[in-house]
Amino acid sequence: MDRPRRPTASPFEFPPEAAFTWHSESDEPAPTRLSPVDDGLSADTALKRVRRGEFLRYSGDFHNAKQLLGALGRRLERPWQARSPLEAFRAERRARQLEHATLSRIVVALDRGYRLDLARAPDVAEACRQVWGEPTEDFTVVPLKQLLGMLGAAEWRRKGLEVPGLKGLLHPHYGVYLPTRTDYVELLAAVPDVKGKRVFDVGTGTGVLSFLLLQRGAASAQATDCDSRAVACARENAERLGLSLRFQVTEADLFPEGKADLVVCNPPWIPEPPKNRVDRAVFDEDSQFLRRFLEGLPSALNPGGEGLLILSDLAVLLGLRPAGWIEEQFERCGLTVAWRKSTPARHSKAKDKADPLHAARSQEVTTLYGLVPTAR
């Protein structure tokens, strides 16, 4: 049953020289000038203007603004037919960056109550407060595409998400990696005996790996993440699932203090620089995070303890890492593979032949490695 829509207030006045708070996930500097536009703006004209570097503040109809974003996206160049998976990956990243740079210049204004300055606009205040907290200026300016993403995330957060093996719903937050790819989650069922174990969860995200292990009988889980939004998300989900007494999470770059019986990590799997804050869940420049995790793992384990590394081989299939690279890292860091379990990718992109990276994604395999310090 659909919920009744709230009546929306009429658009407000945004003074041309008004001070405002600027929000951008890519840390792009605040625009020094906003050019007001409305429903009379065509997509072709908008594209010419944003390519000249203008930020266009839309003040027309909400649905027309969304249609303008779609029309702009369709006018952007698509990646050409690549000769290799690596070439396809590079072209796709350039296309995504161009799309972001173009569409993020269509911006909208919000007032001090986070009311959107567009006719027929939905109520966006709750989604904004969830991400930004209370406003600090009379006006806020944000790319419309980002705001739409925040609205979608707020709906996921409200409804919750079913995760295979998890008793209860997971409620993801905006900007925290959404575990809609369940392959890596299901691999945890292969861990033989977790009862009574102390767990470290490095790069926890929503906290889902900790929660699965706790529900299987782990004694406690200490999680870390370098993103404050992930820390808040994991903490809230632990409370919702009734696990907060056995779960702690802190904002940290890598390992918590002390030692654990199990140390689990699902690191970013693409060794390329992230372009924005959200990218950090997937992109790990020069595999720095993964290298440091493996280097520190032996010291984080109790005697008889085990590391649980979940890693996709997509970087190898794309030509971003040579075959055998991860095994070389295990040896370099004094780690031995005690056991492993793998599963082919079953996510939607692995089946989408129109995806520019389909050749690699259709062959992707994710592996759970059980790692122990090498005997000396």
Side-chain angles (χ1 to χ4, degrees):
M1 179 177 178
D2 292 336
R3 293 186 301 165
R5 291 182 175 273
R6 296 182 185 178
T8 55
S10 59
F12 54 85
E13 287 296 321
F14 179 80
E17 304 302 323
F20 58 84
T21 299
W22 167 247
H23 284 292
S24 171
E25 286 295 306
S26 59
D27 296 326
E28 189 172 25
T32 56
R33 182 173 179 272
L34 300 174
S35 302
V37 298
D38 56 25
D39 298 334
L41 179 70
S42 70
D44 289 331
T45 300
L47 187 58
K48 291 176 183 177
R49 292 179 67 175
V50 298
R51 282 177 169 168
R52 292 199 299 260
E54 285 190 71
F55 280 84
L56 308 181
R57 183 184 65 80
Y58 207 93
S59 60
D61 179 86
F62 175 73
H63 300 285
N64 291 343
K66 291 202 299 181
Q67 289 177 356
L68 175 64
L69 283 184
L72 283 174
R74 290 190 293 273
R75 283 162 170 76
L76 299 178
E77 296 178 8
R78 298 291 99 185
W80 64 87
Q81 190 67 33
R83 292 169 292 184
S84 69
L86 181 57
E87 191 175 272
F89 171 77
R90 299 284 187 220
E92 180 68 8
R93 280 217 89 186
R94 286 193 296 270
R96 296 285 74 78
Q97 185 65 15
L98 174 63
E99 179 182 64
H100 170 79
T102 303
L103 301 187
S104 65
R105 289 182 176 268
I106 306 297
V107 304
V108 291
L110 310 167
D111 68 7
R112 200 171 188 93
Y114 286 139
R115 182 163 53 105
L116 182 57
D117 181 24
L118 295 176
R120 294 200 296 166
D123 185 348
V124 303
E126 181 179 0
C128 292
R129 287 192 174 90
Q130 286 177 353
V131 178
W132 302 326
E134 294 299 325
T136 56
E137 298 275 1
D138 287 338
F139 300 100
T140 297
V141 173
V142 60
L144 175 59
K145 189 173 188 298
Q146 179 179 327
L147 183 62
L148 294 175
M150 290 164 55
L151 286 173
E155 191 64 9
W156 276 110
R157 183 170 175 174
R158 183 186 68 82
K159 288 182 176 179
L161 175 70
E162 289 187 6
V163 176
L166 185 70
K167 299 171 186 175
L169 296 177
L170 194 72
H171 294 263
H173 291 195
Y174 175 76
V176 181
Y177 182 72
L178 188 65
T180 51
R181 285 183 55 159
T182 59
D183 313 350
Y184 75 95
V185 172
E186 294 173 19
L187 284 171
L188 271 194
V191 181
D193 182 19
V194 303
K195 290 184 178 179
K197 300 289 179 68
R198 185 186 186 201
V199 174
F200 284 173
D201 181 1
V202 179
T204 192
T206 60
V208 63
L209 299 182
S210 285
F211 305 146
L212 287 164
L213 293 172
L214 288 170
Q215 288 184 346
R216 288 187 55 197
S220 66
Q222 175 70 55
T224 63
D225 203 289
C226 64
D227 194 311
S228 58
R229 294 191 299 207
V231 171
C233 177
R235 185 174 290 128
E236 179 187 299
N237 275 290
E239 293 172 356
R240 285 177 178 270
L241 293 168
L243 297 171
S244 56
L245 293 179
R246 292 189 289 145
F247 177 82
Q248 290 184 323
V249 59
T250 55
E251 186 173 344
D253 182 44
L254 212 56
F255 297 95
E257 294 183 1
K259 295 178 183 289
D261 305 308
L262 293 174
V263 178
V264 62
C265 182
N266 177 34
W269 57 95
I270 301 295
E272 290 282 296
K275 301 292 187 183
N276 53 56
R277 185 175 175 179
V278 177
D279 267 3
R280 293 188 301 184
V282 177
F283 294 90
D284 175 21
E285 185 172 8
D286 194 32
S287 305
Q288 293 177 31
F289 179 91
L290 177 54
R291 291 174 192 267
R292 291 187 298 115
F293 170 77
L294 295 174
E295 289 164 359
L297 179 58
S299 299
L301 290 170
N302 281 324
E306 189 172 64
L308 303 174
L309 175 68
I310 303 171
L311 191 66
S312 159
D313 69 347
L314 184 60
V316 175
L317 296 170
L318 292 174
L320 296 167
R321 284 189 189 125
W325 179 88
I326 190 64
E327 287 78 11
E328 291 175 1
Q329 298 305 308
F330 294 157
E331 184 177 357
R332 179 180 69 84
C333 298
L335 295 164
T336 296
V337 179
W339 59 274
R340 73 181 72 193
K341 184 173 178 60
S342 300
T343 182
R346 297 192 300 275
H347 55 83
S348 59
K349 287 187 177 180
K351 304 171 186 175
D352 182 6
K353 294 183 179 180
D355 188 290
L357 304 182
H358 176 261
R361 284 178 168 146
S362 62
Q363 302 298 315
E364 182 183 2
V365 171
T366 300
T367 299
L368 170 59
Y369 296 92
L371 301 171
V372 296
T374 303
R376 299 187 183 279

